[in-house]
Amino acid sequence: ASWTAYAVSNSRWLARLDHVSSYEWNLLTGLVTGGLAVLLAVPAPQAVPLLQPVAAAGTAVAASAPMRGSWAVMLRYAAPVAMPWEGVFINTDPLRWVARDSSKPGRTGPETWLLHASTEWSDAHMEDDADAVTAVLIAAFVALGGPAPLAATAHRWRYADTELALTMGSWWDASLRLGMCGDWLNGGKAEGAWLSGRALAQQVQAA
């Protein structure tokens, strides 16, 4: 089987084409081009249905890495906010992490604070309305001593991290010319994601 890739809003999916040889991979991204390999850099749960028709081993790898969600809210202010810390982990729901985002090196522009909900709270409220989630997280920040913001933007991060990240680095099947990379394959951190992609590229070059 080979695959067709197409974009729907912000999501990318692959669809199986039964009438095309398994040795011919085609990616449709506005045009159809011949590909030498298919490399998946997607969250593990999204990789599972793509791999099931063609790669049992890859499917098992992706299925072994359950991922968790997180709601995040960015707050904007007209002036610096006086808090006793730049960032802090919170041990009670709904918040898990609060940080002055505008204090990161190289950042310019207005005062911004980032609120991350806990994994447990996020999973329980993953399908909630973004405005309702925003209101809850702002209220929690205000309870910590923060002021109400001028504006706020919520983002639902459905696959934020891996409950138990794998440490295999990347996955590659040379016979299928099919591979996977991502943070969930290499420890779960941002550096792991980069190293995973680099490791997969090296495997492809060596094949």
Side-chain angles (χ1 to χ4, degrees):
S2 70
W3 305 82
T4 297
Y6 61 96
V8 179
S9 300
N10 293 324
S11 299
R12 291 192 178 274
W13 304 91
L14 295 174
R16 187 179 182 186
L17 297 178
D18 292 320
H19 62 282
V20 179
S21 165
S22 61
Y23 297 100
E24 297 174 331
W25 299 89
N26 295 279
L27 296 181
L28 179 61
T29 55
L31 327 157
V32 175
T33 60
L36 299 178
V38 168
L39 309 180
L40 302 178
V42 299
Q46 292 180 334
V48 170
L50 304 179
L51 295 170
Q52 279 178 332
V54 292
T59 301
V61 169
S64 71
M67 301 190 74
R68 306 175 296 187
S70 177
W71 274 103
V73 173
M74 183 69 76
L75 309 180
R76 290 180 290 282
Y77 296 90
V81 173
M83 296 294 280
W85 26 258
E86 296 292 296
V88 63
F89 283 105
I90 310 297
N91 295 320
T92 56
D93 284 340
L95 292 174
R96 170 60 177 160
W97 169 249
V98 176
R100 189 193 309 269
D101 202 65
S102 51
S103 69
K104 293 179 180 178
R107 295 294 174 95
T108 60
E111 175 85 350
T112 55
W113 282 75
L114 179 63
L115 313 180
H116 269 289
S118 71
T119 296
E120 296 76 16
W121 191 91
S122 294
D123 282 342
H125 298 272
M126 189 55 59
E127 304 305 329
D128 286 7
D129 178 76
D131 290 339
V133 169
T134 300
V136 171
L137 298 190
I138 288 176
F141 182 59
V142 169
L144 294 173
L150 293 176
T153 303
H155 177 72
R156 181 176 61 183
W157 198 1
R158 188 175 292 278
Y159 302 117
D161 67 3
T162 312
E163 187 172 352
L164 292 173
L166 305 182
T167 57
M168 63 190 302
S170 61
W171 178 84
W172 168 245
D173 187 318
S175 64
L176 292 175
R177 305 290 298 174
L178 177 61
M180 292 186 291
C181 61
D183 59 346
W184 58 273
L185 279 159
N186 199 37
K189 304 300 182 183
E191 180 185 7
W194 185 88
L195 291 172
S196 177
R198 187 171 186 270
L200 180 57
Q202 292 173 336
Q203 289 175 292
V204 174
Q205 287 180 328

